[in-house]
Amino acid sequence: MIQVSLTVNGASVTAEIEPRMLLVQFLREQLRLTGTHVGCDTSQCGACVVHVDGVSVKSCTMLAVQAQGAAVATIEGLAAGETLHPMQAAFRAHHGLQCGYCTPGMVMSALDLVRHNPDPSERAIRDWLDGNLCRCTGYQNIVKAIAAGAQAMRGPAASS
Amino acid sequence: MHAFNYHRPTSIEDATKALAAAADGKYLAGGMTLIPTLKQRLARQSDLIDLAAIQQLRGIRDDKTGVSIGAMTTHAELAASPALRAKLGGLARLAECIGDPQVRNRGTIGGALANNDPAADYPAACLALGATIVTDRREIAADGFFKGLFETALDAGELITGVRFPLARKSAYAKFRNPASGYAIVGVFVAQCSGESRVAVTGARQSGVFRIEEMERALTKSWSPDAVAKLSVTAEGLNADIHASAVYRAQLITVMARRAVAAA
Ligand SMILES: Cc1cc2nc3c(=O)[nH]c(=O)nc-3n(C[C@H](O)[C@H](O)[C@H](O)COP(=O)(O)OP(=O)(O)OC[C@H]3O[C@@H](n4cnc5c(N)ncnc54)[C@H](O)[C@@H]3O)c2cc1C
Ligand code: FES
Ligand code: FES
């Protein structure tokens, strides 16, 4: 067992864990933050995407001990009480999901895109989603939702 | 995943010592290859030595003769580096087309070179640009580093600390990627260095990256897409799988070489 201390959605967490525990297991099984999903065994689907120190990563391909001292953000940390984050609201408004399994990863990945590129083109959105698979929607509405979410995040003043 | 001991040294010396002391240890860099392998129990290690806290292994430094990249520099950092974009644009763009954004945010150049996947991208850049792989104990020219399927010249416990790339007049990479995995079905890196041109191919042979001297001679004589467009490559010895036959890969090598020269 090894001690790990980090923050998750702003709250400090310290725990004794096995070194082999994946970050996604730590979040889901230890902290009961089950919004982050596991969709594959091959690091390809992106259902598990969270932010570590502001950068999107696959939490199924990172050990929890590798997040020692880091700030982790998950889908649960986005909404302010009952008010959805603009990117979450855009997924709802544009029907960017069907079963919803891929959605937390899509939203967390999209927010990292917007950090680099506040006004992404459709091409840029599709390229960025290389690591996020959706088995339901065919991506059309996900792409629309991310464009709309990015626009909402730029604020009304920025929309043309 | 089988259990292991975890170490997080802050110096190169402590990392190599920890590995030497382990029964069956491995360095952990970005984990983008090692962790999936451990998860599927394709490998079992007694100890993982995480290189993440060693500041000396990070960063991109450039001077008049070339660019030095720390082993723990991520693909995303390489792709975004203004110095690299200005001086070795082909390498920066190569980093941008590895895997997906989340793989690029964690995966490192040192890990990719140590792993030497036969379809990995960086080996083609290292070989074409004539890079030097720097370790805790010596310097290894790229020409002698890649030894075959997942094999390198690294000795047991040897740690890659960085890679030094000499400047090229022109360089570019063209990749025909497998849409599912992101890896190269065929990738060709071309470089025009002082006096010679070099062409390196990845993804096409089981033994990994290789040079094509006929194309190099043609490009040294005349650097133009037409110089390689007419040169066909033999399909003998090339990979054949569900994604591409050997004949198709041979054709792709010519096409990717032409596109890379045109983009350089
Ligand atoms: C979905 C997916 C898509 C991918 N697509 C591509 C692609 O298109 N092109 C491509 O080239 N790669 C691709 N990769 C692989 C990726 O680039 C990895 O990041 C890379 O192969 C390994 O780097 P790492 O830093 O993650 O190393 P790790 O996984 O941590 O380590 C890999 C191996 O290298 C050893 N090692 C690590 N660092 C050092 C060092 N400094 N010195 C000595 N030994 C060391 C480790 O012990 C281990 O054996 C993909 C991976 C995934 C999961
Ligand atoms: S669960 Fe599929 S990439 Fe993490
Ligand atoms: S909505 Fe079902 S997997 Fe994307």
Side-chain angles (χ1 to χ4, degrees), chain B residues 12 24 33 39 59 73 166 201 203 206 250:
Chain B
I12 292 169
D24 187 9
T33 296
K39 275 168 69 177
T73 310
V201 180
Q206 186 158 23

Side-chain angles (χ1 to χ4, degrees), chain B residues 78-125:
Chain B
L78 257 85
S81 157
L84 203 62
R85 283 177 167 267
K87 296 207 163 163
L88 281 175
L91 182 60
R93 279 188 293 276
L94 173 148
E96 203 164 31
C97 72
I98 295 175
D100 57 54
Q102 289 72 37
V103 167
R104 295 195 288 276
N105 281 342
R106 298 284 307 162
T108 68
I109 187 167
L113 292 176
N115 195 51
N116 193 22
D117 188 294
D121 298 303
Y122 287 125

Side-chain angles (χ1 to χ4, degrees), chain B residues 4 13 81 93 110 153 171 243:
Chain B
F4 51 78
E13 210 188 353
S81 157
R93 279 188 293 276
S171 70
H243 308 296

Side-chain angles (χ1 to χ4, degrees), chain B residues 204-221:
Chain B
R205 271 195 201 153
Q206 186 158 23
S207 55
V209 66
F210 62 95
R211 289 167 60 187
I212 302 187
E213 277 158 27
E214 196 189 357
M215 286 189 175
E216 295 182 348
R217 279 195 298 273
L219 287 174
T220 302
K221 218 183 284 163

